[in-house]
Amino acid sequence: MKIRAVELIRVTMPLVAPFRTSFAVETNRDVLLVRVETAEAQGWAECVAMDSPLYSSEYLDGAQQVISDHLLPRLFAADELSGAAVGGLLAPVRGHRMAKSAVETAVLDAELRAMGMPLSQYLGATATEVVSGVSVGIQDTVPELLDAVEEYLDAGYARIKLKIEPGWDLAPVAAVRERFGEDIVLQVDANSAYHRADARHLAQLDTFGLLLIEQPLAEEDLAGNVELAKVIRTPICLDESIVSAQDAYEAIRTGACAIVNIKPGRVGGYLESRRIHDVCAAAGIPVWAGGMLETGIGRAANLALAGLSNFTLPSDISASDRYYAQDLTEPITMTGGRVAVPTGPGIGIDPIPEVVTELTTARTVIQP
Ligand code: NPQ
Ligand code: MG
């Protein structure tokens, strides 16, 4: 396989409601789509970096520049390109995993479409549907939070994740438990908003029967989680801290986490995601599929991955309408708390050209 051209498309997606986390309030999701053209097929992927480097150090303009100036030239220079070869070709470039993931996924999608093979099959997924959870942003008041949670439970979501930060943690969690009872599956995500010194405070969450607490401490503070785990009983799950299979191995070995959230963008792609899945499976550590407010393009690919056997906890893969009134693809839907794994070749879904055109803010074509 050889690449003929790559198109980089920037799209702005209005969110159905602002999404507030401990690091930002988003009202629009800026997205970078990567379209790879080969003689046999085209492949699509979505770069999950945010417009600002607030979730992690990557951001969209930076990712786009790395893709055009540093990643694509290395792929153009290769004689026989395949999805599996991309990782090795891009390895000399340090970091920039979200950029690498988008490029690798688009190449893989083109290859699999040409072969007629679904990504789920290529990755070794066995499930045909994935348990769907929802991530609920920080609200201005507890009553507003309760309304939001009620709406998602009524819609059928199988698990609720509350975003937390200092000042928005014990009271909202207590109120949700009080209102909806012990039976709802509930977890929290701090996006690195706490410090080691908050251990005693976080231990107060133990009374609420949470499935897990996600990324309580700074990305770099693996050892802090080992200390925290001695003080709290709620299982610690890492998101931002795990950017490779090596990290996952180290975090598990040292006791920094009991659960891992896998986001392909964060770790450099679907193949590294599978390696993390395998490392965790071998260690008896459950994993689940995270989300980065993807459009249907990224969401479809995440579903393929989430079909692997050690994805045993509910995902952050919600329906399209959780975030977007109009998705770039046919909407991904949730019924009975589950979302279907796509069955078509490659990522199994196509962007709707008119919708992409309407929401596009910039596009460039890069050729060998
Ligand atoms: C998480 N996602 O698990 C992330 C963080 C996150 C669904 O909670 C724009 C782009 C806004 C990416 C907000 C969920 C975002 C974003 C939050 C990612 O930590
Ligand atoms: Mg998270």
Side-chain angles (χ1 to χ4, degrees):
M1 201 168 79
K2 249 193 132 24
I3 299 180
R4 278 188 183 162
V6 176
E7 189 175 18
L8 301 180
I9 306 170
R10 288 288 285 272
V11 165
T12 297
M13 309 275 293
L15 293 171
V16 292
F19 186 52
R20 178 170 160 205
T21 61
S22 61
F23 59 83
V25 185
E26 294 283 301
T27 48
N28 290 294
R29 177 59 163 124
D30 284 338
V31 178
L32 169 63
L33 297 179
V34 178
R35 186 179 68 82
V36 162
E37 222 177 278
T38 72
E40 297 80 23
Q42 52 177 351
W44 287 92
E46 168 175 350
C47 178
V48 299
M50 296 180 66
D51 55 348
S52 302
L54 301 175
Y55 163 81
S56 68
S57 64
E58 288 189 82
Y59 64 104
L60 273 183
D61 286 342
Q64 181 159 353
Q65 194 190 5
V66 164
I67 290 173
S68 358
D69 295 0
H70 302 286
L71 304 185
L72 293 181
R74 289 175 186 273
L75 300 192
F76 291 153
D79 295 321
E80 250 320 304
L81 191 59
S82 67
V86 170
L89 292 167
L90 302 185
V93 175
R94 309 290 180 193
H96 296 285
R97 290 178 172 86
M98 291 178 180
K100 289 177 178 175
S101 175
V103 167
E104 181 187 89
T105 307
V107 170
L108 201 46
D109 184 42
E111 179 183 352
L112 293 173
R113 283 179 198 255
M115 289 166 57
M117 181 189 285
L119 178 61
S120 56
Q121 186 185 337
Y122 176 85
L123 293 173
T126 47
T128 56
E129 39 181 37
V130 168
V131 176
S132 179
V134 64
S135 177
V136 186
I138 294 166
Q139 311 287 317
D140 291 335
T141 64
V142 167
E144 285 167 271
L145 175 69
L146 295 177
D147 287 349
V149 170
E150 180 167 40
E151 183 193 320
Y152 294 129
L153 289 172
D154 288 349
Y157 285 105
R159 181 225 70 194
I160 299 291
K161 159 166 141 183
L162 302 182
K163 290 294 197 175
I164 59 167
E165 66 181 5
W168 182 266
D169 44 30
L170 303 176
V173 172
V176 168
R177 267 288 180 240
E178 163 95 350
R179 168 76 179 274
F180 303 103
E182 298 303 311
D183 289 346
I184 67 160
V185 184
L186 190 62
Q187 65 190 54
V188 294
D189 186 359
N191 288 110
S192 301
Y194 295 89
H195 303 277
R196 291 185 188 202
D198 298 318
R200 303 255 155 237
H201 175 72
L202 291 173
Q204 294 180 262
L205 288 169
D206 285 345
T207 55
F208 301 115
L210 302 177
L211 186 58
L212 57 89
I213 177 171
E214 184 178 348
Q215 196 67 37
L217 308 179
E219 181 180 327
E220 300 79 8
D221 192 14
L222 266 195
N225 293 288
V226 180
E227 296 305 307
L228 179 60
K230 294 174 184 159
V231 180
I232 69 173
R233 275 184 295 110
T234 305
I236 298 173
C237 169
L238 291 176
D239 174 355
E240 287 90 324
S241 291
I242 307 294
V243 303
S244 65
Q246 167 105 51
D247 281 353
Y249 179 82
E250 210 48 30
I252 294 165
R253 189 184 66 75
T254 58
C257 70
I259 298 169
V260 173
N261 164 323
I262 302 184
K263 292 174 180 170
R266 192 192 70 224
V267 307
Y270 288 84
L271 295 173
E272 187 69 6
S273 294
R274 186 172 60 184
R275 288 189 276 273
I276 295 177
H277 166 274
D278 294 350
V279 163
C280 291
I285 295 289
V287 304
W288 56 282
M292 291 290 285
L293 281 56
E294 289 90 347
T295 72
I297 299 294
R299 209 169 284 263
N302 289 348
L303 282 163
L305 176 72
L308 290 170
S309 62
N310 192 38
F311 279 83
T312 52
L313 297 178
S315 71
D316 260 351
I317 308 177
S318 310
S320 294
D321 67 7
R322 154 68 183 90
Y323 294 109
Y324 307 113
Q326 171 70 65
D327 206 335
L328 297 179
T329 60
E330 290 302 322
I332 289 176
T333 56
M334 181 269 298
T335 27
R338 286 162 190 272
V339 180
V341 175
T343 54
I347 63 170
I349 200 163
D350 293 297
I352 303 167
E354 303 78 54
V355 178
V356 174
T357 303
E358 187 189 319
L359 298 173
T360 293
T361 55
R363 51 209 306 167
T364 30
V365 175
I366 302 163
Q367 276 165 319

